[in-house]
Amino acid sequence: MPVLEYQTGPRSGERLVLDAGRILVGRHPDCDIVLDAAAVSRQHCALTVTDDGVVAEDLRSRNGTLLNGVPLAGPRRLENGDELSICGHRLAFLDESGDESSAAIVIDDELDDEDEQASRSDALIMSQVDIPRPSLDEGLDKHTEAKLRAVLGINRAIGASLSLDDVLPRLLDGLLDAFPQADRGFVLLAQQPAGKLRLRARKIKRPGEGPPRLSRTLIDRVASSRQAILSADAVTDTRFRANESVLVGCIRSVMCVPVTSGDSRLLGVIQVDSRDIRDGFDAEDLDVLAGIAGRAAQAIEQALAHDERVEREQLNRDLELAHRVQQGLLPNTPPDLPGFEIFDFYEAARQVGGDFFGYVPLSGGRLAVVLADVSGKGVAAALLMAALSADIRYCLASEPDLGQAVSRINESFLRGGWEDRFATLVVAVLAPDSSAVTVCNAGHLPVFLREPDGSVRQAAADLGGLPLGMATGHEFRSCTIELSPGAAFVLCTDGVTEAMDHEGRCYGLERVEAMLAGTAAAAADVGQRILADIDRHTAGAPAGDDICLVCVRRRA
């Protein structure tokens, strides 16, 4: 069956089975194969799978598709081993029709494919041993002393090593010391989530003999059966005549054991082999190696947990740094504009978020109050918002017409290549000692206007602008609203209106309006009243989205 294998990125090694029909590759979530990168087009290329083969075709993508390093022009039939390159993402095409061994487990490309008959032959196994489970009730067997010596040797070799890059070489040192006749040792670990085995460590006593060639058949059998296997004198054994990788390597004796976790999950495979027929391994050696497999599994599990913890701590440090950087992009305190009171509040649902608010000084002492919300959450949304905030400041400061300024922001957003992202934006321009407020809304929530008599309405509700990033050449309109003395308006993101209680009910627009109505109050009082009511509504439920709120009141 034809498959695509990721060669790069966090999914490296994962294989995707190509079913019959048309398979879309691109950045859009609806694609069959999604590549999350800004340079990748929404629908970048397509693969058509038929009985005659697989045909690749570029869909007039912005940055093109490479086939074996050459731009793909027109439909091309893929051959086994071809490589598709899409904006830095490399995918290998593998036609594994008839290769039944690959169904059990996938081995790294450094390992050679084996003959189909050898892959299916039970005669491959010369000696086979179950990996023992530790138990307080178990008695001592005849090889207990040898096992204890081997375990002590491995413990001395590993020592206080924590990282996987330190543990694996030291583990091989201990194994080759425990089995002096061994010439080579290998550790292969299963990569998640696909479970593909990749060569992670090797030790060769006599270097310079060329690259290692390991038997896919042998490793596949060990991984699938979870049993230790011994093959002695593989060159003269007729059962290995079809096994090219064993013959070329001139391996005389091989021991291969699975490494499993406490819950029987396959962590990897360890292999040691010898080229000396006069001093190969025997069944006793296999029993010893099987007996110490548990200690090897413990060392590998502890190292994996340590590396995961270190990586998680590094990620937390990076997120904390990103949080401080993002906070640096937001105002520390509201500006002092004659005739106005301004209150603002921002809280990210995660360490970093996709909401933005800011104040842009304009000519004539005017001030633009900006609120924006990028689709998505987390680091990706925060990075996009950082880029968008720079465009917002530049366009508003350089373009006197507010509608034209927002149109320029939209075009700049589209040129950035954020094809599966969009952002909503609302801008209100204030002038000192003036009741006129100019508003432009690009797909954002409405402006809530509170009159001095306590009545509340949605202002500039008929502008109907699209969000940023939806269409090129779109014209955004602005309008003017009157802000009489004592009146106030509120801008907020959907983190306010969609704040949920424990039963999944949203806070809603109506509740924002209800909190605005009533006795006239300072801007800070209005904002704090809304935030307190949100806290009462959610009653400690975790925030699902960033919360951003700006309240502006004209002094009486």
Side-chain angles (χ1 to χ4, degrees), residues 229-306:
I229 291 177
L230 165 68
S231 168
D233 193 15
V235 171
T236 59
D237 193 334
T238 58
R239 289 168 290 193
F240 284 92
R241 287 176 180 173
N243 194 326
E244 179 185 0
S245 62
V246 173
L247 293 174
V248 173
C250 299
I251 298 173
R252 298 290 184 176
S253 188
V254 183
M255 289 194 300
C256 193
V257 298
V259 180
T260 58
S261 63
D263 57 358
S264 300
R265 177 172 50 89
L266 182 70
L267 298 176
V269 170
I270 295 176
Q271 175 178 312
V272 292
D273 54 53
S274 171
R275 296 175 183 269
D276 190 350
I277 191 174
R278 296 166 299 179
D279 191 21
F281 305 112
D282 55 25
E284 180 179 337
D285 293 322
L286 182 65
D287 189 62
V288 172
L289 183 59
I292 64 176
R295 176 65 187 109
Q298 284 182 342
I300 291 175
E301 270 198 296
Q302 290 170 2
L304 288 171
H306 170 267

Side-chain angles (χ1 to χ4, degrees), residues 475-536:
E475 294 186 3
F476 291 87
R477 298 182 297 115
S478 63
C479 71
T480 300
I481 61 175
E482 291 295 321
L483 194 66
S484 56
F489 68 86
V490 169
L491 309 176
C492 64
T493 59
D494 55 9
V496 171
T497 58
E498 295 179 4
M500 292 187 180
D501 61 12
H502 288 279
E503 296 181 2
R505 293 172 297 192
C506 290
Y507 187 73
L509 299 176
E510 296 80 5
R511 199 152 173 174
V512 175
E513 295 180 356
M515 285 297 102
L516 280 173
T519 308
D525 294 335
V526 173
Q528 294 289 1
R529 190 164 61 217
I530 295 174
L531 295 174
D533 194 51
I534 293 174
D535 287 341
R536 285 192 296 270

Side-chain angles (χ1 to χ4, degrees), residues 110-406:
E110 274 193 278
L111 311 183
D112 290 344
D113 291 330
E114 308 299 338
D115 181 85
E116 289 182 35
Q117 287 186 341
S119 297
R120 295 192 293 264
S121 174
D122 291 334
L124 173 67
I125 302 173
M126 172 167 284
S127 181
Q128 189 165 312
V129 176
D130 290 328
I131 301 297
R133 296 284 178 186
S135 174
L136 295 177
D137 298 329
E138 275 188 304
L140 299 178
D141 60 28
K142 60 181 179 179
H143 302 138
T144 298
E145 183 180 351
K147 292 177 184 178
L148 289 176
R149 284 199 305 269
V151 169
L152 289 174
I154 289 175
N155 286 339
R156 284 194 298 268
I158 295 175
S161 301
L162 294 176
S163 172
L164 195 65
D165 292 335
D166 293 332
V167 167
L168 294 185
R170 292 175 180 268
L171 173 63
L172 288 176
D173 288 341
L175 287 173
L176 295 191
D177 287 342
F179 301 100
Q181 69 270 47
D183 292 314
R184 309 186 309 173
F186 304 95
V187 178
L188 299 94
L189 296 185
Q191 304 295 307
Q192 300 303 324
K196 175 176 180 177
L197 287 174
R198 299 187 71 89
L199 185 61
R200 291 295 301 270
R202 71 186 72 172
K203 183 174 177 62
I204 301 176
K205 287 184 178 179
R206 293 178 293 181
E209 299 179 355
R213 298 171 66 94
L214 307 181
S215 168
R216 177 191 293 270
T217 306
L218 182 63
I219 292 173
D220 179 40
R221 183 61 60 89
V222 169
S224 59
S225 68
R226 303 291 202 276
Q227 291 180 314
I229 291 177
L230 165 68
S231 168
D233 193 15
V235 171
T236 59
D237 193 334
T238 58
R239 289 168 290 193
F240 284 92
R241 287 176 180 173
N243 194 326
E244 179 185 0
S245 62
V246 173
L247 293 174
V248 173
C250 299
I251 298 173
R252 298 290 184 176
S253 188
V254 183
M255 289 194 300
C256 193
V257 298
V259 180
T260 58
S261 63
D263 57 358
S264 300
R265 177 172 50 89
L266 182 70
L267 298 176
V269 170
I270 295 176
Q271 175 178 312
V272 292
D273 54 53
S274 171
R275 296 175 183 269
D276 190 350
I277 191 174
R278 296 166 299 179
D279 191 21
F281 305 112
D282 55 25
E284 180 179 337
D285 293 322
L286 182 65
D287 189 62
V288 172
L289 183 59
I292 64 176
R295 176 65 187 109
Q298 284 182 342
I300 291 175
E301 270 198 296
Q302 290 170 2
L304 288 171
H306 170 267
D307 290 351
E308 182 181 353
R309 184 168 59 253
V310 170
E311 184 178 353
R312 186 166 56 249
E313 290 173 354
Q314 181 61 51
L315 177 60
N316 289 334
R317 287 194 294 269
D318 291 343
L319 287 174
E320 180 59 31
L321 176 60
H323 173 74
R324 293 199 299 268
V325 171
Q326 186 178 44
Q327 292 300 309
L329 298 175
L330 302 176
N332 291 324
T333 57
D336 185 12
L337 184 67
F340 292 91
E341 302 170 359
I342 303 177
F343 168 83
D344 56 47
F345 176 84
Y346 175 82
E347 183 178 71
R350 302 178 183 176
Q351 287 177 285
V352 290
D355 285 5
F356 169 78
F357 77 97
Y359 309 103
V360 182
L362 305 178
S363 59
R366 296 175 301 145
L367 180 71
V369 181
V370 181
L371 212 67
D373 185 3
V374 168
S375 60
K377 302 178 184 67
V379 175
L383 291 174
L384 177 53
M385 181 50 71
L388 179 60
S389 64
D391 288 337
I392 290 173
R393 296 180 187 279
Y394 174 77
C395 293
L396 290 178
S398 60
E399 174 57 60
D401 184 88
L402 181 56
Q404 290 296 324
V406 175

